[in-house]
Amino acid sequence: DAKTTQPPSMDCAEGRAANLPCNHSTISGNEYVYWYRQIHSQGPQYIIHGLKNNETNEMASLIITEDRKSSTLILPHATLRDTAVYYCIVSPLISTGANSKLTFGKGITLSVRP
Amino acid sequence: DTGVSQDPRHKITKRGQNVTFRCDPISEHNRLYWYRQTLGQGPEFLTYFQNEAQLEKSRLLSDRFSAERPKGSFSTLEIQRTEQGDSAMYLCASSSGTGVNSPLHFGNGTRLTVT
């Protein structure tokens, strides 16, 4: 019962911005958008999360549409080390007791080319 | 903060044998999660602990699987009478479970191969 839809793969050139889309048309009012990534042979790594406002941290920016039905993760200057599977997940805040786990889909494979 | 540690990194076993994996979460993280990941798929939730209490188990966690977190610190995941279908990456994650920003921190997993 995937709540998000992501294209299976995309690529971008090193040094350029990578814009990773995610559709979550059935998102509920209390659900956040989380992004994780998984580099080959490693565990998933948290990137960013947001509710409705755009968010930015040292890794990426998260742009959420006004209707919250889709979002875009932006890696401003992609490097070869950003090649990974990126997971977009919607979930209530994981610090609450109601739903304390994340449900991963298949994600999108980002390939950064030299 | 030394991160989430999992041991062993790789395990090869014969069908029918029992295996046990260990996870050491980030210290003071009261939540600990186990996930399983097969090739080409995202991680699938298995179970999670709040301190020593196991609060949720997935239907994926058959009665051959048991997880413990006896003192609310490290956790073990045991698989009895392993089957070839158990071959997967077993991931552990921990979180502080409090505050607005309490992401899951994952270890690098234990890769199980059942021959």
Side-chain angles (χ1 to χ4, degrees):
Chain A
D1 57 342
K3 292 186 175 182
T4 64
T5 304
Q6 300 177 260
S9 64
M10 65 176 291
D11 62 17
C12 76
E14 188 176 20
R16 304 299 292 267
N19 298 301
L20 287 74
C22 181
N23 287 325
H24 31 80
S25 58
T26 60
I27 191 169
S28 301
N30 68 336
E31 289 183 318
Y32 285 68
V33 180
Y34 290 85
W35 282 85
Y36 282 72
R37 74 178 182 184
Q38 188 170 24
I39 295 169
H40 183 60
S41 296
Q42 297 183 19
Q45 176 191 22
Y46 167 79
I47 301 173
I48 199 167
H49 74 285
L51 183 62
K52 54 184 178 181
N53 297 323
N54 298 336
E55 302 286 345
T56 295
N57 63 20
E58 65 279 3
M59 290 183 70
S61 295
L62 173 61
I63 309 298
I64 303 174
T65 58
E66 191 169 342
D67 64 7
R68 304 210 319 125
K69 293 186 177 182
S70 66
S71 61
T72 301
L73 180 75
I74 301 173
L75 308 179
H77 305 286
T79 71
L80 298 179
R81 288 175 294 181
D82 292 322
T83 292
V85 178
Y86 287 76
Y87 298 99
C88 171
I89 303 163
V90 296
S91 175
L93 194 63
I94 58 173
S95 63
T96 64
N99 181 16
S100 299
K101 64 182 184 288
L102 295 177
T103 301
F104 290 78
K106 291 188 176 182
I108 177 173
T109 299
L110 172 67
S111 300
V112 180
R113 61 181 188 274
Chain B
D1 179 356
T2 57
V4 177
S5 177
Q6 293 189 247
D7 183 69
R9 286 298 312 275
H10 304 274
K11 177 71 177 179
I12 299 174
T13 191
K14 292 185 177 180
R15 188 177 55 187
Q17 297 295 305
N18 300 343
V19 293
T20 300
F21 311 140
R22 177 180 170 120
C23 171
D24 288 89
I26 294 172
S27 60
E28 300 179 357
H29 275 190
N30 56 18
R31 293 193 176 182
L32 186 147
Y33 302 77
W34 285 99
Y35 281 78
R36 180 175 71 184
Q37 186 173 27
T38 54
L39 198 62
Q41 304 296 317
E44 297 173 291
F45 171 78
L46 292 178
T47 188
Y48 106 91
F49 292 83
Q50 171 93 16
N51 299 312
E52 66 275 11
Q54 188 172 17
L55 296 187
E56 188 173 350
K57 292 193 289 187
S58 162
R59 288 171 293 179
L60 294 174
L61 211 67
S62 76
D63 55 8
R64 295 186 297 106
F65 288 69
S66 63
E68 294 183 344
R69 194 182 184 198
K71 296 184 179 180
S73 57
F74 73 92
S75 175
T76 57
L77 178 67
E78 181 183 18
I79 308 174
Q80 297 182 326
R81 305 181 302 282
T82 53
E83 302 172 356
Q84 288 188 320
D86 297 331
S87 295
M89 175 76 81
Y90 290 84
L91 292 161
C92 177
S94 69
S95 78
S96 64
T98 59
V100 175
N101 185 16
S102 57
L104 271 61
H105 297 263
F106 283 83
N108 286 328
T110 294
R111 180 167 295 284
L112 173 66
T113 302
V114 182
T115 62

